[in-house]
Amino acid sequence: NEFSLRAIFGVSANANGLHASASYDAAVAETGMLFPEILAGKTVQQGDKVCGAQRRQVVSGDGGKTLREPVLIVLCQKVLEEEEHFNIIDTLMREDFKVINIRHTWLSTKQATELAGAIGNRALEEEGRVGPCLLLAMERDSGVSRLQMSMTNRGSGGIGATVAKFKAHIFVSEVTSRAHTALAYCFDTLCDSSFRIEPFK
């Protein structure tokens, strides 16, 4: 196709590579490495524009009469580097978890500290700020207990072996109240969910 980016910007049949950054923050960092003259004297801003931007709460869409529970899973840089996030998401979806929001981001020090408090695991405070992470909101019936079961399943098709390998790089909400607090901190909306996020009243 003569109108493709490769056709327009490619120098030759061999020199026609195309690169896309995974996020805005990654694009700024990569631009600084590849074209230092563009960002000369400027610093890369670390931090997410949604996390902690305002006080929010998770509210049940049907007045609290549901067996469904939302969960938050934070997959940190090492998991993403090894591309194990695909396996984790695919396995959980096969176990009837539904993705209700997902975002690739790089948390600031303050955001990593606040999210660690919300999710109830202080190790996230350090791990969450060393590089990009994936914030994954999912739901299903008895979501919290089903997630704990799935994370310990080392059998065929389970994610227990992956979780054991990356234990220091995967963080989950282990009780419903913490899941709600962490989800409200990380997201301003949930898609096709039994729950919604509203400003805190």
Side-chain angles (χ1 to χ4, degrees):
N1 179 348
E2 63 186 285
F3 299 108
S4 70
L5 291 175
R6 286 183 182 214
I8 295 169
F9 296 106
V11 177
S12 70
N14 291 331
N16 69 355
L18 182 67
H19 173 75
S21 299
S23 68
Y24 171 79
D25 293 323
V28 172
E30 291 162 3
T31 300
M33 287 187 304
L34 297 171
F35 310 102
E37 66 280 3
I38 294 175
L39 295 178
K42 298 178 186 171
T43 57
V44 176
Q45 292 297 315
Q46 185 178 348
D48 186 273
K49 298 206 183 321
V50 176
C51 286
Q54 72 178 75
R55 287 191 68 204
R56 298 178 289 257
Q57 62 185 351
V58 173
V59 177
S60 176
D62 57 6
K65 298 176 179 155
T66 182
L67 294 175
R68 299 189 75 73
E69 290 178 332
V71 296
L72 177 70
I73 306 163
V74 182
L75 304 174
C76 293
Q77 181 178 10
K78 187 73 173 168
V79 180
L80 303 180
E81 285 175 356
E82 300 286 328
E83 298 188 354
E84 286 294 333
H85 54 294
F86 297 116
N87 174 44
I88 292 170
I89 294 169
D90 181 58
T91 301
L92 290 174
M93 289 182 72
R94 279 189 274 119
E95 293 184 16
D96 293 329
F97 279 91
K98 178 173 70 170
V99 175
I100 54 176
N101 207 331
I102 186 170
R103 198 166 66 256
H104 184 255
T105 188
W106 192 334
L107 301 171
S108 68
T109 300
K110 178 181 183 228
Q111 289 169 332
T113 300
E114 290 173 349
L115 182 55
I119 209 166
N121 190 329
R122 285 288 164 204
L124 176 57
E125 188 172 339
E126 180 64 32
E127 190 64 29
R129 61 189 167 134
V130 291
C133 58
L134 192 68
L135 305 174
L136 179 60
M138 301 185 94
E139 80 173 21
R140 71 154 285 163
D141 291 350
S142 305
V144 172
S145 60
R146 292 296 303 181
L147 179 61
Q148 291 169 351
M149 289 171 53
S150 180
M151 292 183 70
T152 57
N153 178 6
R154 293 184 183 217
S156 176
I159 60 170
T162 302
V163 170
K165 179 180 176 184
F166 294 101
K167 185 173 183 158
H169 311 284
I170 298 174
F171 301 90
V172 300
S173 49
E174 295 185 356
V175 295
T176 304
S177 60
R178 291 237 183 239
H180 284 213
T181 302
L183 286 165
Y185 183 83
C186 292
F187 299 103
D188 55 6
T189 186
L190 299 175
C191 306
D192 191 27
S193 172
S194 302
F195 300 87
R196 65 182 183 276
I197 295 179
E198 297 180 344
F200 192 82
K201 298 176 184 175

